[in-house]
């Protein structure tokens, strides 16, 4: 299972582009490097708008690369161990669906609002905004709410609401509580409900899931 450390790293990575763009806009608004030789050269040879676009594009590219590296670090061990059946349990997926747009609204608001509503030239505003981001991260970590983190999508993983079971359909009919309503994170873009899966719990009702390649019949679990 994940502890708080993994969640802090995950959310700090998610908000990295926002923080870097705000820092750049703060530096740019205050002309900290205006008198340097390279700044003078750039002013002569490149339009300011083009330079801003290049810097922001560079920040986004670097951030997306870090997203993928962090996801690889967090999940590569799980992928290997699940395939080797060293961890986790066998499950059937009875039903699944993507998260709704509303589930992402809070994250999107905290990501975009500071960029359009706050004066980036003020050092106080910058510090307050970063403090707010830290508070938001603390809330996410406290509530174990990692399902809407964009790091998953950039790394090629999907997030679904799912109903899973580690028992047969007959056992589920006798005891419906066997079925669990959970959030699953997986590399599978779509899941064949006839396939076998293996899953491990990350936190609370959030599981990491991969396809199980053994020959067991899922209805015999």
């Amino acid at each position: 299972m994940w502890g708080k450390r993994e969640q802090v790293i995950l959310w700090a990575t998610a908000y990295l582009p926002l923080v870097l763009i705000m820092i750049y806009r703060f530096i740019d608004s205050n002309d900290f490097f205006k008198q340097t030789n390279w700044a003078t050269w750039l002013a002569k040879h490149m339009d300011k708008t083009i330079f801003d676009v290049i810097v922001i594009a560079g920040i986004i590219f670097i951030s997306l690369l870090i997203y993928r590296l962090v996801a690889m670090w967090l999940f590569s061990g799980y992928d290997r161990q699940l395939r080797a059946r060293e961890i986790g349990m066998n499950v059937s997926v009875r039903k699944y669906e993507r998260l709704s747009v509303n589930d992402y609204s809070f994250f999107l608001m905290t990501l975009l609002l500071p960029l359009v509503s706050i004066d980036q030239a003020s050092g106080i505003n910058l510090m307050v905004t970063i403090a707010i981001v830290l508070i938001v991260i603390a809330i996410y970590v406290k509530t174990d709410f990692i399902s809407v983190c964009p790091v998953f999508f950039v790394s090629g993983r999907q997030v679904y609401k799912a109903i899973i079971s580690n028992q047969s359909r007959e056992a589920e009919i006798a005891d419906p509580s066997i079925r669990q309503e959970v959030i699953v994170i997986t590399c599978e873009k779509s899941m064949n409900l006839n396939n076998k899966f293996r899953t491990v719990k990350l936190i609370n009702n959030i599981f990491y899931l991969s396809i199980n390649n053994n020959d067991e019949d899922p209805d015999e679990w």
Side-chain angles (χ1 to χ4, degrees):
M1 286 184 61
W2 279 5
K4 299 301 182 183
R5 180 178 71 103
E6 289 84 357
Q7 296 184 62
V8 169
I9 293 172
L10 194 69
W11 283 113
T13 303
Y15 280 98
L16 179 63
L18 170 64
V19 173
L20 291 180
I21 289 173
M22 289 191 332
I23 291 174
Y24 168 69
R25 290 172 65 175
F26 170 72
I27 292 172
D28 181 61
S29 298
N30 289 279
D31 293 326
F32 286 158
F33 301 105
K34 186 176 182 179
Q35 303 303 320
T36 59
N37 291 334
W38 66 270
T40 303
W41 183 89
L42 282 173
K44 292 179 179 179
H45 294 84
M46 184 179 295
D47 181 78
K48 179 64 167 57
T49 301
I50 295 176
F51 179 73
D52 288 342
V53 170
I54 292 173
V55 170
I56 292 175
I59 289 173
I60 293 174
F61 175 79
I62 292 171
S63 298
L64 293 179
L65 178 61
I66 293 174
Y67 277 19
R68 295 187 69 88
L69 293 174
V70 168
M72 288 174 58
W73 173 70
L74 288 172
F75 292 121
S76 60
Y78 286 117
D79 289 327
R80 178 185 57 79
Q81 290 176 303
L82 286 170
R83 286 195 298 268
R85 298 172 58 82
E86 296 174 0
I87 60 172
M89 63 178 179
N90 296 331
V91 297
S92 298
V93 176
R94 303 305 187 194
K95 180 181 178 182
Y96 73 97
E97 63 182 5
R98 294 187 182 277
L99 302 184
S100 71
V101 175
N102 292 334
D103 292 319
Y104 299 96
S105 57
F106 181 70
F107 171 77
L108 292 175
M109 180 183 68
T110 58
L111 189 67
L112 298 176
L113 193 60
L115 295 177
V116 299
S117 63
I118 295 178
D119 175 18
Q120 305 297 319
S122 169
I124 296 297
N125 285 348
L126 177 64
M127 288 187 291
V128 168
T129 306
I130 292 177
I132 292 173
V133 169
L134 293 176
I135 292 171
V136 170
I137 290 174
I139 292 172
Y140 276 130
V141 172
K142 181 69 174 179
T143 57
D144 294 331
F145 193 58
I146 65 171
S147 58
V148 298
C149 185
V151 172
F152 302 136
F153 307 105
V154 175
S155 64
R157 288 168 174 82
Q158 313 298 319
V159 182
Y160 299 110
K161 293 179 181 178
I163 296 176
I164 64 173
S165 169
N166 62 353
Q167 301 290 330
S168 67
R169 293 183 186 275
E170 290 75 12
E172 294 168 22
I173 293 173
D175 182 7
S177 65
I178 290 174
R179 292 189 172 189
Q180 295 179 269
E181 294 185 10
V182 301
I183 302 292
V184 296
I185 301 167
T186 179
C187 291
E188 306 298 320
K189 292 184 178 180
S190 63
M191 290 188 284
N192 185 337
L193 300 188
N194 294 317
N195 282 344
K196 312 170 184 69
F197 297 94
R198 194 164 181 87
T199 187
V200 62
K201 185 176 183 178
L202 296 179
I203 50 175
N204 286 345
N205 71 328
I206 300 177
F207 290 75
Y208 191 67
L209 179 145
S210 71
I211 193 165
N212 188 353
N213 292 318
N214 67 30
D215 295 327
E216 287 185 85
D217 182 348
D219 281 339
E220 293 178 358
W221 298 343

